[in-house]
Amino acid sequence: MYLSSSRSADLASGARDPRAQAPPPAGRGVRRVAPVVLVLGVVSLVTDVSAEMVTAVLPLYLVLGLGLSPMAFGMLDGLYNGATAASRLLGGHVADRFRRHRTVAAVGYGISAGCKLLLPAAGGVAAIGGVLAADRAGKGLRTAPRDALISMAAPPAAQGRAFGVHRAMDTAGALFGPPVALAVLWVTADAYDAVFVLSFCFAAFGLLVLLLFVRDPAAGTGKVGVRRAPVRLRDAAAVLRVPGFARVCTAALLLGAATVGDAMVYLLLQRHTDLSPHLFPLLPLGTALVFLLCAVPAGTAGDRYGRGGVFLAGHVALLCGYLVLLAPLPDRVSIVAIPTLLGAFYAGTDGVLMALAAPAAPAELRGGALALVQTGQAGGRALGAAGFGAAWTLYGPHTAVLLAAAGLALALVAAVALLAAGTLAPGAGASADSKGASR
């Protein structure tokens, strides 16, 4: 049956399961990772090889190859991050409504794979922007259903570890992407088209793994998703009345708006240090390596000490990265520090944010709930990237970084106030799993 008014009241009043607030029990059970998490990790690993091959060469392709201005690149970078907003909401709601999380995710993976072949054929800012928007729309469709599958497979007390394991596997793919792109450019004498075609091949293989080895919850044993009727929009909106959930969404949006895209940071570093363009694709490699090493420890620390605190600490690492760009440091120090701090930033924020938000929503609303958080963060980052590109063009790179650092510091102060009411403590956010069935 549909969510009843009593169910909505429970959401609004923040009814909690006392067991969900308890600290993670000791023993092997908490440390085990569900098979579906591992399979989805493999899918993300292969797909991230594809994505990072493109990400590693895209700034050079657009700025050096096609001659785009910093403002034009900033607008495209903002579009690249922000085009997921509507598709995230659509993907999360459709997956919840029809209990077809794997199916919706597969559609998203397929769209992104196809865009890898369209990118070299696109000419001009408008065409490139359209392809990038479609690629990010595919990413938006798949992200919330995939994360919902991960969250539903993990107990509330071990959400951080589950997302940390997945993000570590996902990031392992990022370690291979830039070197593969660099090797292809070296072998083909800077033929960007070859990078995009090989990227498509990896993406198609990841989609095949998903279709062969992951099933929709509705096709399983019935343990996940007790509901049998579709979720309505008003049911999905009720999750915003969960105490703390709206604060997490707002904090993610504010901090996202003060976040400069990785590509812009790498371009600034390249200009600041005169790094060779041929070594440019190795910068994301360093970030991915740190992310890989820190993702599981950060998720586990969030489970044990408080996910909100780890999430904020990740943004402090990002703020330190901005300060490195402003400081007159030796080139070698800057080249090492920036990827390290960016990797620590992602380890403390990516999966930890999902682990912070997911348990507050019942399983039947999990996809839509995660989509709301992801949309707020992506929308903020789109504004931040576009604003930074404009500031760079109008005032120069130094002033733009200074404004970004000031904005992030202010956003951190606001986020601390938003998250302080319960979400910084150990076990915070783990609440609604046991109340997921409709009444």
Side-chain angles (χ1 to χ4, degrees):
M1 59 187 298
Y2 290 121
L3 286 174
S4 63
S5 58
S6 62
R7 176 69 199 140
S8 297
D10 284 342
L11 284 170
S13 63
R16 308 240 173 200
D17 178 6
R19 293 173 298 173
Q21 296 294 337
R28 297 173 56 192
V30 174
R31 301 189 64 82
R32 288 199 189 106
V33 178
V36 68
V37 176
L38 298 177
V39 174
L40 289 171
V42 172
V43 174
S44 293
L45 187 155
V46 176
T47 303
D48 219 43
V49 173
S50 167
E52 290 302 321
M53 286 179 63
V54 175
T55 301
V57 302
L58 193 60
L60 296 177
Y61 177 66
L62 296 178
V63 176
L64 299 183
L66 300 184
L68 296 186
S69 68
M71 177 177 286
F73 178 73
M75 296 300 293
L76 285 177
D77 192 38
L79 180 66
Y80 193 71
N81 285 285
T84 62
S87 62
R88 284 178 194 268
L89 294 174
L90 177 64
H93 178 66
V94 170
D96 287 343
R97 181 175 178 82
F98 300 107
R99 296 178 301 281
R100 292 292 183 266
H101 297 80
R102 190 285 302 263
T103 303
V104 176
V107 172
Y109 279 110
I111 292 174
S112 294
C115 288
K116 303 300 189 297
L117 291 181
L118 294 176
L119 191 57
V125 176
I128 294 173
V131 174
L132 292 178
D135 177 63
R136 294 299 89 183
K139 179 177 175 60
L141 276 176
R142 72 182 186 244
T143 301
R146 180 204 65 199
D147 284 352
L149 288 170
I150 295 171
S151 179
M152 287 186 287
Q159 294 277 308
R161 179 176 175 80
F163 278 103
V165 169
H166 173 268
R167 290 327 194 245
M169 297 181 69
D170 177 88
T171 308
L175 288 173
F176 292 100
V180 171
L182 185 62
V184 171
L185 290 178
W186 182 74
V187 171
T188 61
D190 295 337
Y192 290 99
D193 292 2
V195 175
F196 299 140
V197 171
L198 185 58
S199 172
F200 164 77
C201 295
F202 278 105
F205 179 72
L207 175 61
L208 181 63
V209 173
L210 176 72
L211 293 174
L212 290 178
F213 299 106
V214 178
R215 296 195 299 172
D216 285 305
T221 62
K223 292 181 180 180
V224 178
V226 179
R227 302 168 49 83
R228 290 296 178 265
V231 174
R232 296 175 295 184
L233 282 174
R234 72 179 186 183
D235 299 329
V239 74
L240 288 174
R241 298 198 294 273
V242 175
F245 189 84
R247 292 194 295 272
V248 172
C249 291
T250 304
L253 188 153
L254 289 175
L255 291 169
T259 300
V260 177
D262 292 0
M264 300 294 281
V265 173
Y266 295 147
L267 284 173
L268 285 165
L269 180 62
Q270 195 267 338
R271 292 182 54 149
H272 182 67
T273 61
D274 292 326
L275 181 70
S276 171
H278 291 285
L279 298 177
F280 189 88
L282 296 180
L283 294 175
L285 179 64
T287 297
L289 178 60
V290 176
F291 189 4
L292 172 64
L293 296 175
C294 297
V296 176
T300 304
D303 291 337
R304 179 170 298 181
Y305 303 111
R307 295 161 191 160
V310 174
F311 179 66
L312 294 174
H315 285 88
V316 171
L318 179 63
L319 178 59
C320 292
Y322 295 169
L323 297 179
V324 168
L325 291 174
L326 294 170
L329 298 174
D331 287 358
R332 291 184 179 181
V333 174
S334 298
I335 291 172
V336 173
I338 290 298
T340 300
L341 291 168
L342 284 179
F345 160 65
Y346 284 114
T349 58
D350 192 350
V352 173
L353 177 60
M354 295 299 97
L356 175 64
E364 67 269 17
L365 301 179
R366 194 64 54 79
L370 296 183
L372 287 171
V373 179
Q374 294 163 356
T375 299
Q377 185 181 56
R381 288 181 176 178
L383 293 175
F388 184 83
W392 184 350
T393 301
L394 295 175
Y395 307 114
H398 182 83
T399 301
V401 176
L402 189 62
L403 291 173
L408 180 55
L410 292 175
L412 274 168
V413 173
V416 169
L418 286 167
L419 299 180
T423 57
L424 296 179
S431 60
D433 281 346
S434 66
K435 301 180 73 66
S438 62
R439 300 189 176 190

